[in-house]
Every structure is written in structure tokens, then in C-alpha cells.
Amino acid sequence: MSLPHAILTALLEKPSSGLELTRRFDRSIGYFWQATHQQIYRELGKLEEAGHIRALQPAQRSRGQKKEYEVLPAGRAELAAWVGRTEDPKPVRDALLLRMRAAAVVGTGGLEAELRRHLELHRRQLAEYLDIEERHFPPERDSVEDRLRHVVLRGGIDLERFWIQWLTHALEELEGPSGEGG
């Protein structure tokens, strides 16, 4: 049920068209909540039907013009209620972890290369997050809103650091005590 809440959040930050929303998901929200363009457009329709958002009337009507949406009071109330709800953590579902477990049964062929590939991907993601932090969160940006956005980014930074450390350890374990490999 979180995709509609992600969309409401994005629209409260800035009224947007469906295309603008998908671009924003690709650049920011998508770092922690993935959605395809089709899912976003489908959810916009459901939110509009539920009375949580509405399409803004353009100043000048033109053919092929994108609908821009804004959040209605009912949508803001739904989002506020959702923020205050309790929710248990979700179990981790990661194919790499499952593949490592399978490798213990069928052998490690190709596993080391995949672990190294993942390690590099997490290093790149960490570098991107650190760059975003440097560009968008200077010390003078100290409003509650900025601090909350920053703590979300810090969560991503910490997760990337966790994966880098864990993958490094996994590679060391794969090599064995004397570096002989698996």
C-alpha cells in the first residue's frame, strides 16, 4: 500500500504531471521505493477516483498537454494517517542471499564474480549518495523537513556501507582461510 503514499508525498512536495512524477521517482524516491511508469499512472487514476488528488486546470488548454495533479485535503489526511500507523519491518528478500545459500549446496561457480560485481555496484551507489549529500545538504539547511530528507539519505548511505562491508567479508569467506578460493 506504500506506492500511493509515495505518490501523495511527491505531489505534496510539488504538484506534477505523471511524466514529471516518473522522472522524480527515477531521481529520488526511486532510490528507496521502486515503481514503473505504468504503476505510477495506474495509481494516479486510483488516487483521483478515491478523491485524494485532482488534475489541475491548465491556464491555457492545448492539445497533448500533460495533466498536472495536486493533493486534495482527503489525500493529505490519508497520508498523515498512514505516517502515524504502526507497521512491522518486512523480512529481507534478496536473491543474492538466496543464491549464496544455494551455492553452499551446488557449488560456487560464478559466485565470486557476482559478489565482486555487486560490491562495485554498491560502491558506485555509495559515491552517488555521498555526492547528493554534499550537493543538497549543506549545514545551513537545517529545517525539520531538510533534516528528515537528510536522515532518509543517511539511511541509504549506511545501507550501502553495510553491503560493502558484508560483501567484502563474504568474498574473504569464499576465499577461505588461506585465500585458496572455493
Side-chain angles (χ1 to χ4, degrees):
M1 181 80 175
S2 294
L3 179 56
H5 299 105
I7 291 171
L8 288 170
T9 300
L11 288 174
L12 279 169
E13 290 175 343
K14 179 181 177 213
S16 304
S17 69
L19 180 59
E20 290 167 334
L21 269 177
T22 59
R23 288 180 179 152
R24 288 173 59 205
F25 262 74
D26 290 344
R27 287 190 321 265
S28 62
I29 293 173
Y31 286 123
F32 56 90
W33 195 266
Q34 304 283 308
T36 66
H37 300 256
Q38 293 82 4
Q39 289 171 316
I40 291 171
Y41 280 101
R42 193 169 38 246
E43 216 45 63
L44 283 169
K46 290 178 187 177
L47 288 166
E48 191 170 24
E49 205 173 283
H52 290 163
I53 65 171
R54 71 173 171 205
L56 295 170
Q57 295 300 318
Q60 295 180 20
R61 196 90 177 135
S62 66
R63 191 169 182 216
Q65 187 173 22
K66 298 176 250 163
K67 280 188 195 178
E68 193 167 275
Y69 295 92
E70 71 174 351
V71 177
L72 296 171
R76 179 181 282 277
E78 167 56 30
L79 188 60
W82 179 74
V83 166
R85 285 186 201 130
T86 61
E87 187 174 309
D88 292 337
K90 302 291 183 237
V92 174
R93 289 182 56 180
D94 189 291
L96 182 61
L97 297 175
L98 183 57
R99 287 167 58 200
M100 289 191 63
R101 182 73 182 254
V105 178
V106 298
T108 61
L111 184 60
E112 181 180 347
E114 183 65 352
L115 291 174
R116 291 190 187 288
R117 187 178 78 81
H118 276 252
L119 180 58
E120 182 54 34
L121 290 171
H122 285 288
R123 284 178 175 154
R124 277 192 242 149
Q125 190 64 64
L126 175 60
E128 187 173 340
Y129 286 164
L130 291 172
D131 182 56
I132 290 169
E133 182 179 46
E134 186 176 320
R135 284 184 288 123
H136 295 287
F137 296 100
E140 63 272 11
R141 285 189 72 176
D142 195 35
S143 68
V144 170
E145 295 85 358
D146 285 330
R147 289 195 314 268
L148 287 173
R149 288 182 186 107
H150 192 191
V151 81
V152 170
L153 178 62
R154 291 296 313 171
I157 289 169
D158 291 346
L159 281 171
E160 293 307 321
R161 287 183 172 147
F162 161 79
W163 281 112
I164 290 166
Q165 180 183 6
W166 184 85
L167 286 160
T168 301
H169 178 73
L171 283 162
E172 290 167 357
E173 289 295 322
L174 193 60
E175 290 176 2
S178 59
E180 72 262 4

mmCIF file with all atom_site columns, all heavy atoms in Angstrom, residues 109-133:
data_model
loop_
_atom_site.group_PDB
_atom_site.id
_atom_site.type_symbol
_atom_site.label_atom_id
_atom_site.label_alt_id
_atom_site.label_comp_id
_atom_site.label_asym_id
_atom_site.label_entity_id
_atom_site.label_seq_id
_atom_site.pdbx_PDB_ins_code
_atom_site.Cartn_x
_atom_site.Cartn_y
_atom_site.Cartn_z
_atom_site.occupancy
_atom_site.B_iso_or_equiv
_atom_site.pdbx_formal_charge
_atom_site.auth_seq_id
_atom_site.auth_comp_id
_atom_site.auth_asym_id
_atom_site.auth_atom_id
_atom_site.pdbx_PDB_model_num
ATOM 1   N N   . GLY A 1 109 ? 30.422 -21.905 -8.415  1.00 0.00 ? 109 GLY A N   1
ATOM 2   C CA  . GLY A 1 109 ? 30.758 -21.461 -9.773  1.00 0.00 ? 109 GLY A CA  1
ATOM 3   C C   . GLY A 1 109 ? 30.108 -20.143 -10.135 1.00 0.00 ? 109 GLY A C   1
ATOM 4   O O   . GLY A 1 109 ? 28.888 -20.026 -10.096 1.00 0.00 ? 109 GLY A O   1
ATOM 5   N N   . GLY A 1 110 ? 30.888 -19.147 -10.462 1.00 0.00 ? 110 GLY A N   1
ATOM 6   C CA  . GLY A 1 110 ? 30.395 -17.833 -10.864 1.00 0.00 ? 110 GLY A CA  1
ATOM 7   C C   . GLY A 1 110 ? 30.028 -16.909 -9.713  1.00 0.00 ? 110 GLY A C   1
ATOM 8   O O   . GLY A 1 110 ? 29.767 -15.728 -9.923  1.00 0.00 ? 110 GLY A O   1
ATOM 9   N N   . LEU A 1 111 ? 29.994 -17.434 -8.512  1.00 0.00 ? 111 LEU A N   1
ATOM 10  C CA  . LEU A 1 111 ? 29.560 -16.633 -7.369  1.00 0.00 ? 111 LEU A CA  1
ATOM 11  C C   . LEU A 1 111 ? 30.536 -15.502 -7.049  1.00 0.00 ? 111 LEU A C   1
ATOM 12  O O   . LEU A 1 111 ? 30.119 -14.372 -6.789  1.00 0.00 ? 111 LEU A O   1
ATOM 13  C CB  . LEU A 1 111 ? 29.351 -17.520 -6.138  1.00 0.00 ? 111 LEU A CB  1
ATOM 14  C CG  . LEU A 1 111 ? 28.797 -16.825 -4.907  1.00 0.00 ? 111 LEU A CG  1
ATOM 15  C CD1 . LEU A 1 111 ? 27.422 -16.214 -5.184  1.00 0.00 ? 111 LEU A CD1 1
ATOM 16  C CD2 . LEU A 1 111 ? 28.722 -17.792 -3.736  1.00 0.00 ? 111 LEU A CD2 1
ATOM 17  N N   . GLU A 1 112 ? 31.826 -15.788 -7.093  1.00 0.00 ? 112 GLU A N   1
ATOM 18  C CA  . GLU A 1 112 ? 32.807 -14.754 -6.753  1.00 0.00 ? 112 GLU A CA  1
ATOM 19  C C   . GLU A 1 112 ? 32.682 -13.543 -7.673  1.00 0.00 ? 112 GLU A C   1
ATOM 20  O O   . GLU A 1 112 ? 32.685 -12.395 -7.215  1.00 0.00 ? 112 GLU A O   1
ATOM 21  C CB  . GLU A 1 112 ? 34.234 -15.306 -6.810  1.00 0.00 ? 112 GLU A CB  1
ATOM 22  C CG  . GLU A 1 112 ? 35.264 -14.256 -6.430  1.00 0.00 ? 112 GLU A CG  1
ATOM 23  C CD  . GLU A 1 112 ? 36.701 -14.763 -6.485  1.00 0.00 ? 112 GLU A CD  1
ATOM 24  O OE1 . GLU A 1 112 ? 36.917 -15.984 -6.583  1.00 0.00 ? 112 GLU A OE1 1
ATOM 25  O OE2 . GLU A 1 112 ? 37.598 -13.904 -6.410  1.00 0.00 ? 112 GLU A OE2 1
ATOM 26  N N   . ALA A 1 113 ? 32.536 -13.795 -8.978  1.00 0.00 ? 113 ALA A N   1
ATOM 27  C CA  . ALA A 1 113 ? 32.402 -12.685 -9.931  1.00 0.00 ? 113 ALA A CA  1
ATOM 28  C C   . ALA A 1 113 ? 31.144 -11.872 -9.635  1.00 0.00 ? 113 ALA A C   1
ATOM 29  O O   . ALA A 1 113 ? 31.151 -10.636 -9.709  1.00 0.00 ? 113 ALA A O   1
ATOM 30  C CB  . ALA A 1 113 ? 32.368 -13.210 -11.359 1.00 0.00 ? 113 ALA A CB  1
ATOM 31  N N   . GLU A 1 114 ? 30.060 -12.558 -9.275  1.00 0.00 ? 114 GLU A N   1
ATOM 32  C CA  . GLU A 1 114 ? 28.816 -11.860 -8.968  1.00 0.00 ? 114 GLU A CA  1
ATOM 33  C C   . GLU A 1 114 ? 28.946 -11.050 -7.685  1.00 0.00 ? 114 GLU A C   1
ATOM 34  O O   . GLU A 1 114 ? 28.458 -9.927  -7.609  1.00 0.00 ? 114 GLU A O   1
ATOM 35  C CB  . GLU A 1 114 ? 27.656 -12.861 -8.871  1.00 0.00 ? 114 GLU A CB  1
ATOM 36  C CG  . GLU A 1 114 ? 26.320 -12.232 -8.632  1.00 0.00 ? 114 GLU A CG  1
ATOM 37  C CD  . GLU A 1 114 ? 25.796 -11.341 -9.770  1.00 0.00 ? 114 GLU A CD  1
ATOM 38  O OE1 . GLU A 1 114 ? 26.524 -11.061 -10.752 1.00 0.00 ? 114 GLU A OE1 1
ATOM 39  O OE2 . GLU A 1 114 ? 24.661 -10.885 -9.647  1.00 0.00 ? 114 GLU A OE2 1
ATOM 40  N N   . LEU A 1 115 ? 29.615 -11.584 -6.680  1.00 0.00 ? 115 LEU A N   1
ATOM 41  C CA  . LEU A 1 115 ? 29.846 -10.827 -5.451  1.00 0.00 ? 115 LEU A CA  1
ATOM 42  C C   . LEU A 1 115 ? 30.685 -9.582  -5.733  1.00 0.00 ? 115 LEU A C   1
ATOM 43  O O   . LEU A 1 115 ? 30.395 -8.501  -5.212  1.00 0.00 ? 115 LEU A O   1
ATOM 44  C CB  . LEU A 1 115 ? 30.527 -11.701 -4.396  1.00 0.00 ? 115 LEU A CB  1
ATOM 45  C CG  . LEU A 1 115 ? 29.687 -12.834 -3.807  1.00 0.00 ? 115 LEU A CG  1
ATOM 46  C CD1 . LEU A 1 115 ? 30.551 -13.705 -2.896  1.00 0.00 ? 115 LEU A CD1 1
ATOM 47  C CD2 . LEU A 1 115 ? 28.479 -12.308 -3.065  1.00 0.00 ? 115 LEU A CD2 1
ATOM 48  N N   . ARG A 1 116 ? 31.706 -9.731  -6.555  1.00 0.00 ? 116 ARG A N   1
ATOM 49  C CA  . ARG A 1 116 ? 32.545 -8.572  -6.909  1.00 0.00 ? 116 ARG A CA  1
ATOM 50  C C   . ARG A 1 116 ? 31.753 -7.528  -7.696  1.00 0.00 ? 116 ARG A C   1
ATOM 51  O O   . ARG A 1 116 ? 31.923 -6.325  -7.494  1.00 0.00 ? 116 ARG A O   1
ATOM 52  C CB  . ARG A 1 116 ? 33.783 -9.015  -7.680  1.00 0.00 ? 116 ARG A CB  1
ATOM 53  C CG  . ARG A 1 116 ? 34.754 -9.791  -6.813  1.00 0.00 ? 116 ARG A CG  1
ATOM 54  C CD  . ARG A 1 116 ? 36.109 -10.027 -7.485  1.00 0.00 ? 116 ARG A CD  1
ATOM 55  N NE  . ARG A 1 116 ? 36.924 -10.909 -6.680  1.00 0.00 ? 116 ARG A NE  1
ATOM 56  C CZ  . ARG A 1 116 ? 37.495 -10.575 -5.517  1.00 0.00 ? 116 ARG A CZ  1
ATOM 57  N NH1 . ARG A 1 116 ? 37.351 -9.355  -5.045  1.00 0.00 ? 116 ARG A NH1 1
ATOM 58  N NH2 . ARG A 1 116 ? 38.209 -11.459 -4.845  1.00 0.00 ? 116 ARG A NH2 1
ATOM 59  N N   . ARG A 1 117 ? 30.869 -7.997  -8.579  1.00 0.00 ? 117 ARG A N   1
ATOM 60  C CA  . ARG A 1 117 ? 30.025 -7.077  -9.355  1.00 0.00 ? 117 ARG A CA  1
ATOM 61  C C   . ARG A 1 117 ? 29.105 -6.303  -8.411  1.00 0.00 ? 117 ARG A C   1
ATOM 62  O O   . ARG A 1 117 ? 28.981 -5.077  -8.511  1.00 0.00 ? 117 ARG A O   1
ATOM 63  C CB  . ARG A 1 117 ? 29.212 -7.859  -10.383 1.00 0.00 ? 117 ARG A CB  1
ATOM 64  C CG  . ARG A 1 117 ? 28.435 -6.988  -11.359 1.00 0.00 ? 117 ARG A CG  1
ATOM 65  C CD  . ARG A 1 117 ? 27.687 -7.843  -12.375 1.00 0.00 ? 117 ARG A CD  1
ATOM 66  N NE  . ARG A 1 117 ? 26.485 -8.408  -11.797 1.00 0.00 ? 117 ARG A NE  1
ATOM 67  C CZ  . ARG A 1 117 ? 25.326 -7.754  -11.654 1.00 0.00 ? 117 ARG A CZ  1
ATOM 68  N NH1 . ARG A 1 117 ? 25.231 -6.496  -12.038 1.00 0.00 ? 117 ARG A NH1 1
ATOM 69  N NH2 . ARG A 1 117 ? 24.278 -8.343  -11.125 1.00 0.00 ? 117 ARG A NH2 1
ATOM 70  N N   . HIS A 1 118 ? 28.483 -7.010  -7.479  1.00 0.00 ? 118 HIS A N   1
ATOM 71  C CA  . HIS A 1 118 ? 27.612 -6.343  -6.505  1.00 0.00 ? 118 HIS A CA  1
ATOM 72  C C   . HIS A 1 118 ? 28.398 -5.352  -5.645  1.00 0.00 ? 118 HIS A C   1
ATOM 73  O O   . HIS A 1 118 ? 27.915 -4.258  -5.352  1.00 0.00 ? 118 HIS A O   1
ATOM 74  C CB  . HIS A 1 118 ? 26.917 -7.377  -5.607  1.00 0.00 ? 118 HIS A CB  1
ATOM 75  C CG  . HIS A 1 118 ? 25.677 -7.935  -6.212  1.00 0.00 ? 118 HIS A CG  1
ATOM 76  N ND1 . HIS A 1 118 ? 24.427 -7.627  -5.756  1.00 0.00 ? 118 HIS A ND1 1
ATOM 77  C CD2 . HIS A 1 118 ? 25.502 -8.783  -7.257  1.00 0.00 ? 118 HIS A CD2 1
ATOM 78  C CE1 . HIS A 1 118 ? 23.527 -8.266  -6.483  1.00 0.00 ? 118 HIS A CE1 1
ATOM 79  N NE2 . HIS A 1 118 ? 24.155 -8.979  -7.400  1.00 0.00 ? 118 HIS A NE2 1
ATOM 80  N N   . LEU A 1 119 ? 29.593 -5.736  -5.247  1.00 0.00 ? 119 LEU A N   1
ATOM 81  C CA  . LEU A 1 119 ? 30.440 -4.854  -4.448  1.00 0.00 ? 119 LEU A CA  1
ATOM 82  C C   . LEU A 1 119 ? 30.696 -3.550  -5.205  1.00 0.00 ? 119 LEU A C   1
ATOM 83  O O   . LEU A 1 119 ? 30.566 -2.451  -4.643  1.00 0.00 ? 119 LEU A O   1
ATOM 84  C CB  . LEU A 1 119 ? 31.758 -5.554  -4.099  1.00 0.00 ? 119 LEU A CB  1
ATOM 85  C CG  . LEU A 1 119 ? 32.759 -4.769  -3.265  1.00 0.00 ? 119 LEU A CG  1
ATOM 86  C CD1 . LEU A 1 119 ? 32.166 -4.338  -1.937  1.00 0.00 ? 119 LEU A CD1 1
ATOM 87  C CD2 . LEU A 1 119 ? 34.022 -5.616  -3.046  1.00 0.00 ? 119 LEU A CD2 1
ATOM 88  N N   . GLU A 1 120 ? 31.007 -3.657  -6.476  1.00 0.00 ? 120 GLU A N   1
ATOM 89  C CA  . GLU A 1 120 ? 31.260 -2.462  -7.282  1.00 0.00 ? 120 GLU A CA  1
ATOM 90  C C   . GLU A 1 120 ? 29.984 -1.616  -7.424  1.00 0.00 ? 120 GLU A C   1
ATOM 91  O O   . GLU A 1 120 ? 30.038 -0.384  -7.337  1.00 0.00 ? 120 GLU A O   1
ATOM 92  C CB  . GLU A 1 120 ? 31.806 -2.835  -8.661  1.00 0.00 ? 120 GLU A CB  1
ATOM 93  C CG  . GLU A 1 120 ? 32.141 -1.645  -9.538  1.00 0.00 ? 120 GLU A CG  1
ATOM 94  C CD  . GLU A 1 120 ? 33.087 -0.625  -8.892  1.00 0.00 ? 120 GLU A CD  1
ATOM 95  O OE1 . GLU A 1 120 ? 33.977 -1.010  -8.103  1.00 0.00 ? 120 GLU A OE1 1
ATOM 96  O OE2 . GLU A 1 120 ? 32.922 0.584   -9.169  1.00 0.00 ? 120 GLU A OE2 1
ATOM 97  N N   . LEU A 1 121 ? 28.847 -2.263  -7.623  1.00 0.00 ? 121 LEU A N   1
ATOM 98  C CA  . LEU A 1 121 ? 27.583 -1.529  -7.734  1.00 0.00 ? 121 LEU A CA  1
ATOM 99  C C   . LEU A 1 121 ? 27.274 -0.767  -6.441  1.00 0.00 ? 121 LEU A C   1
ATOM 100 O O   . LEU A 1 121 ? 26.840 0.391   -6.483  1.00 0.00 ? 121 LEU A O   1
ATOM 101 C CB  . LEU A 1 121 ? 26.433 -2.488  -8.059  1.00 0.00 ? 121 LEU A CB  1
ATOM 102 C CG  . LEU A 1 121 ? 26.450 -3.097  -9.468  1.00 0.00 ? 121 LEU A CG  1
ATOM 103 C CD1 . LEU A 1 121 ? 25.399 -4.196  -9.581  1.00 0.00 ? 121 LEU A CD1 1
ATOM 104 C CD2 . LEU A 1 121 ? 26.235 -2.027  -10.520 1.00 0.00 ? 121 LEU A CD2 1
ATOM 105 N N   . HIS A 1 122 ? 27.506 -1.396  -5.296  1.00 0.00 ? 122 HIS A N   1
ATOM 106 C CA  . HIS A 1 122 ? 27.257 -0.719  -4.021  1.00 0.00 ? 122 HIS A CA  1
ATOM 107 C C   . HIS A 1 122 ? 28.260 0.408   -3.784  1.00 0.00 ? 122 HIS A C   1
ATOM 108 O O   . HIS A 1 122 ? 27.894 1.444   -3.220  1.00 0.00 ? 122 HIS A O   1
ATOM 109 C CB  . HIS A 1 122 ? 27.271 -1.726  -2.865  1.00 0.00 ? 122 HIS A CB  1
ATOM 110 C CG  . HIS A 1 122 ? 26.030 -2.566  -2.831  1.00 0.00 ? 122 HIS A CG  1
ATOM 111 N ND1 . HIS A 1 122 ? 24.804 -2.073  -2.451  1.00 0.00 ? 122 HIS A ND1 1
ATOM 112 C CD2 . HIS A 1 122 ? 25.829 -3.862  -3.151  1.00 0.00 ? 122 HIS A CD2 1
ATOM 113 C CE1 . HIS A 1 122 ? 23.898 -3.033  -2.534  1.00 0.00 ? 122 HIS A CE1 1
ATOM 114 N NE2 . HIS A 1 122 ? 24.493 -4.131  -2.957  1.00 0.00 ? 122 HIS A NE2 1
ATOM 115 N N   . ARG A 1 123 ? 29.487 0.235   -4.227  1.00 0.00 ? 123 ARG A N   1
ATOM 116 C CA  . ARG A 1 123 ? 30.461 1.334   -4.104  1.00 0.00 ? 123 ARG A CA  1
ATOM 117 C C   . ARG A 1 123 ? 30.034 2.530   -4.937  1.00 0.00 ? 123 ARG A C   1
ATOM 118 O O   . ARG A 1 123 ? 30.147 3.681   -4.504  1.00 0.00 ? 123 ARG A O   1
ATOM 119 C CB  . ARG A 1 123 ? 31.852 0.851   -4.524  1.00 0.00 ? 123 ARG A CB  1
ATOM 120 C CG  . ARG A 1 123 ? 32.517 -0.020  -3.484  1.00 0.00 ? 123 ARG A CG  1
ATOM 121 C CD  . ARG A 1 123 ? 33.869 -0.509  -3.946  1.00 0.00 ? 123 ARG A CD  1
ATOM 122 N NE  . ARG A 1 123 ? 34.536 -1.236  -2.881  1.00 0.00 ? 123 ARG A NE  1
ATOM 123 C CZ  . ARG A 1 123 ? 35.443 -2.172  -3.073  1.00 0.00 ? 123 ARG A CZ  1
ATOM 124 N NH1 . ARG A 1 123 ? 35.824 -2.505  -4.303  1.00 0.00 ? 123 ARG A NH1 1
ATOM 125 N NH2 . ARG A 1 123 ? 36.001 -2.779  -2.048  1.00 0.00 ? 123 ARG A NH2 1
ATOM 126 N N   . ARG A 1 124 ? 29.532 2.271   -6.139  1.00 0.00 ? 124 ARG A N   1
ATOM 127 C CA  . ARG A 1 124 ? 29.068 3.362   -7.002  1.00 0.00 ? 124 ARG A CA  1
ATOM 128 C C   . ARG A 1 124 ? 27.848 4.059   -6.398  1.00 0.00 ? 124 ARG A C   1
ATOM 129 O O   . ARG A 1 124 ? 27.749 5.288   -6.439  1.00 0.00 ? 124 ARG A O   1
ATOM 130 C CB  . ARG A 1 124 ? 28.720 2.842   -8.394  1.00 0.00 ? 124 ARG A CB  1
ATOM 131 C CG  . ARG A 1 124 ? 29.936 2.725   -9.272  1.00 0.00 ? 124 ARG A CG  1
ATOM 132 C CD  . ARG A 1 124 ? 29.545 2.504   -10.709 1.00 0.00 ? 124 ARG A CD  1
ATOM 133 N NE  . ARG A 1 124 ? 30.077 1.203   -11.092 1.00 0.00 ? 124 ARG A NE  1
ATOM 134 C CZ  . ARG A 1 124 ? 29.556 0.383   -11.967 1.00 0.00 ? 124 ARG A CZ  1
ATOM 135 N NH1 . ARG A 1 124 ? 28.458 0.688   -12.593 1.00 0.00 ? 124 ARG A NH1 1
ATOM 136 N NH2 . ARG A 1 124 ? 30.122 -0.759  -12.246 1.00 0.00 ? 124 ARG A NH2 1
ATOM 137 N N   . GLN A 1 125 ? 26.920 3.265   -5.849  1.00 0.00 ? 125 GLN A N   1
ATOM 138 C CA  . GLN A 1 125 ? 25.729 3.852   -5.251  1.00 0.00 ? 125 GLN A CA  1
ATOM 139 C C   . GLN A 1 125 ? 26.102 4.699   -4.044  1.00 0.00 ? 125 GLN A C   1
ATOM 140 O O   . GLN A 1 125 ? 25.565 5.789   -3.843  1.00 0.00 ? 125 GLN A O   1
ATOM 141 C CB  . GLN A 1 125 ? 24.742 2.757   -4.852  1.00 0.00 ? 125 GLN A CB  1
ATOM 142 C CG  . GLN A 1 125 ? 23.389 3.290   -4.435  1.00 0.00 ? 125 GLN A CG  1
ATOM 143 C CD  . GLN A 1 125 ? 22.673 3.996   -5.569  1.00 0.00 ? 125 GLN A CD  1
ATOM 144 O OE1 . GLN A 1 125 ? 22.345 3.373   -6.571  1.00 0.00 ? 125 GLN A OE1 1
ATOM 145 N NE2 . GLN A 1 125 ? 22.441 5.282   -5.426  1.00 0.00 ? 125 GLN A NE2 1
ATOM 146 N N   . LEU A 1 126 ? 27.037 4.206   -3.234  1.00 0.00 ? 126 LEU A N   1
ATOM 147 C CA  . LEU A 1 126 ? 27.501 4.987   -2.091  1.00 0.00 ? 126 LEU A CA  1
ATOM 148 C C   . LEU A 1 126 ? 28.094 6.311   -2.562  1.00 0.00 ? 126 LEU A C   1
ATOM 149 O O   . LEU A 1 126 ? 27.790 7.371   -1.995  1.00 0.00 ? 126 LEU A O   1
ATOM 150 C CB  . LEU A 1 126 ? 28.534 4.201   -1.273  1.00 0.00 ? 126 LEU A CB  1
ATOM 151 C CG  . LEU A 1 126 ? 29.172 4.964   -0.110  1.00 0.00 ? 126 LEU A CG  1
ATOM 152 C CD1 . LEU A 1 126 ? 28.130 5.424   0.900   1.00 0.00 ? 126 LEU A CD1 1
ATOM 153 C CD2 . LEU A 1 126 ? 30.241 4.100   0.551   1.00 0.00 ? 126 LEU A CD2 1
ATOM 154 N N   . ALA A 1 127 ? 28.908 6.275   -3.596  1.00 0.00 ? 127 ALA A N   1
ATOM 155 C CA  . ALA A 1 127 ? 29.505 7.511   -4.118  1.00 0.00 ? 127 ALA A CA  1
ATOM 156 C C   . ALA A 1 127 ? 28.416 8.475   -4.590  1.00 0.00 ? 127 ALA A C   1
ATOM 157 O O   . ALA A 1 127 ? 28.494 9.690   -4.344  1.00 0.00 ? 127 ALA A O   1
ATOM 158 C CB  . ALA A 1 127 ? 30.473 7.188   -5.254  1.00 0.00 ? 127 ALA A CB  1
ATOM 159 N N   . GLU A 1 128 ? 27.389 7.954   -5.228  1.00 0.00 ? 128 GLU A N   1
ATOM 160 C CA  . GLU A 1 128 ? 26.293 8.808   -5.689  1.00 0.00 ? 128 GLU A CA  1
ATOM 161 C C   . GLU A 1 128 ? 25.555 9.431   -4.504  1.00 0.00 ? 128 GLU A C   1
ATOM 162 O O   . GLU A 1 128 ? 25.259 10.630  -4.500  1.00 0.00 ? 128 GLU A O   1
ATOM 163 C CB  . GLU A 1 128 ? 25.321 7.987   -6.538  1.00 0.00 ? 128 GLU A CB  1
ATOM 164 C CG  . GLU A 1 128 ? 24.254 8.819   -7.195  1.00 0.00 ? 128 GLU A CG  1
ATOM 165 C CD  . GLU A 1 128 ? 23.401 8.021   -8.167  1.00 0.00 ? 128 GLU A CD  1
ATOM 166 O OE1 . GLU A 1 128 ? 23.825 6.948   -8.627  1.00 0.00 ? 128 GLU A OE1 1
ATOM 167 O OE2 . GLU A 1 128 ? 22.289 8.496   -8.449  1.00 0.00 ? 128 GLU A OE2 1
ATOM 168 N N   . TYR A 1 129 ? 25.260 8.642   -3.479  1.00 0.00 ? 129 TYR A N   1
ATOM 169 C CA  . TYR A 1 129 ? 24.589 9.172   -2.289  1.00 0.00 ? 129 TYR A CA  1
ATOM 170 C C   . TYR A 1 129 ? 25.439 10.229  -1.601  1.00 0.00 ? 129 TYR A C   1
ATOM 171 O O   . TYR A 1 129 ? 24.924 11.251  -1.150  1.00 0.00 ? 129 TYR A O   1
ATOM 172 C CB  . TYR A 1 129 ? 24.277 8.055   -1.301  1.00 0.00 ? 129 TYR A CB  1
ATOM 173 C CG  . TYR A 1 129 ? 23.131 7.146   -1.677  1.00 0.00 ? 129 TYR A CG  1
ATOM 174 C CD1 . TYR A 1 129 ? 22.969 5.923   -1.042  1.00 0.00 ? 129 TYR A CD1 1
ATOM 175 C CD2 . TYR A 1 129 ? 22.189 7.488   -2.646  1.00 0.00 ? 129 TYR A CD2 1
ATOM 176 C CE1 . TYR A 1 129 ? 21.915 5.076   -1.353  1.00 0.00 ? 129 TYR A CE1 1
ATOM 177 C CE2 . TYR A 1 129 ? 21.144 6.657   -2.969  1.00 0.00 ? 129 TYR A CE2 1
ATOM 178 C CZ  . TYR A 1 129 ? 20.999 5.448   -2.321  1.00 0.00 ? 129 TYR A CZ  1
ATOM 179 O OH  . TYR A 1 129 ? 19.958 4.626   -2.625  1.00 0.00 ? 129 TYR A OH  1
ATOM 180 N N   . LEU A 1 130 ? 26.744 9.983   -1.500  1.00 0.00 ? 130 LEU A N   1
ATOM 181 C CA  . LEU A 1 130 ? 27.618 10.967  -0.862  1.00 0.00 ? 130 LEU A CA  1
ATOM 182 C C   . LEU A 1 130 ? 27.660 12.260  -1.662  1.00 0.00 ? 130 LEU A C   1
ATOM 183 O O   . LEU A 1 130 ? 27.713 13.357  -1.094  1.00 0.00 ? 130 LEU A O   1
ATOM 184 C CB  . LEU A 1 130 ? 29.019 10.378  -0.657  1.00 0.00 ? 130 LEU A CB  1
ATOM 185 C CG  . LEU A 1 130 ? 29.103 9.256   0.387   1.00 0.00 ? 130 LEU A CG  1
ATOM 186 C CD1 . LEU A 1 130 ? 30.484 8.613   0.355   1.00 0.00 ? 130 LEU A CD1 1
ATOM 187 C CD2 . LEU A 1 130 ? 28.756 9.757   1.780   1.00 0.00 ? 130 LEU A CD2 1
ATOM 188 N N   . ASP A 1 131 ? 27.604 12.151  -2.979  1.00 0.00 ? 131 ASP A N   1
ATOM 189 C CA  . ASP A 1 131 ? 27.572 13.325  -3.842  1.00 0.00 ? 131 ASP A CA  1
ATOM 190 C C   . ASP A 1 131 ? 26.267 14.101  -3.629  1.00 0.00 ? 131 ASP A C   1
ATOM 191 O O   . ASP A 1 131 ? 26.272 15.328  -3.520  1.00 0.00 ? 131 ASP A O   1
ATOM 192 C CB  . ASP A 1 131 ? 27.719 12.904  -5.307  1.00 0.00 ? 131 ASP A CB  1
ATOM 193 C CG  . ASP A 1 131 ? 27.738 14.090  -6.240  1.00 0.00 ? 131 ASP A CG  1
ATOM 194 O OD1 . ASP A 1 131 ? 28.590 14.987  -6.059  1.00 0.00 ? 131 ASP A OD1 1
ATOM 195 O OD2 . ASP A 1 131 ? 26.889 14.130  -7.159  1.00 0.00 ? 131 ASP A OD2 1
ATOM 196 N N   . ILE A 1 132 ? 25.159 13.379  -3.554  1.00 0.00 ? 132 ILE A N   1
ATOM 197 C CA  . ILE A 1 132 ? 23.867 14.027  -3.299  1.00 0.00 ? 132 ILE A CA  1
ATOM 198 C C   . ILE A 1 132 ? 23.901 14.737  -1.941  1.00 0.00 ? 132 ILE A C   1
ATOM 199 O O   . ILE A 1 132 ? 23.446 15.874  -1.814  1.00 0.00 ? 132 ILE A O   1
ATOM 200 C CB  . ILE A 1 132 ? 22.723 12.992  -3.333  1.00 0.00 ? 132 ILE A CB  1
ATOM 201 C CG1 . ILE A 1 132 ? 22.513 12.491  -4.765  1.00 0.00 ? 132 ILE A CG1 1
ATOM 202 C CG2 . ILE A 1 132 ? 21.430 13.586  -2.769  1.00 0.00 ? 132 ILE A CG2 1
ATOM 203 C CD1 . ILE A 1 132 ? 21.596 11.281  -4.867  1.00 0.00 ? 132 ILE A CD1 1
ATOM 204 N N   . GLU A 1 133 ? 24.462 14.058  -0.947  1.00 0.00 ? 133 GLU A N   1
ATOM 205 C CA  . GLU A 1 133 ? 24.547 14.653  0.388   1.00 0.00 ? 133 GLU A CA  1
ATOM 206 C C   . GLU A 1 133 ? 25.344 15.955  0.346   1.00 0.00 ? 133 GLU A C   1
ATOM 207 O O   . GLU A 1 133 ? 24.938 16.966  0.923   1.00 0.00 ? 133 GLU A O   1
ATOM 208 C CB  . GLU A 1 133 ? 25.194 13.667  1.355   1.00 0.00 ? 133 GLU A CB  1
ATOM 209 C CG  . GLU A 1 133 ? 25.267 14.200  2.776   1.00 0.00 ? 133 GLU A CG  1
ATOM 210 C CD  . GLU A 1 133 ? 25.883 13.200  3.732   1.00 0.00 ? 133 GLU A CD  1
ATOM 211 O OE1 . GLU A 1 133 ? 26.924 12.596  3.395   1.00 0.00 ? 133 GLU A OE1 1
ATOM 212 O OE2 . GLU A 1 133 ? 25.315 13.032  4.833   1.00 0.00 ? 133 GLU A OE2 1
#
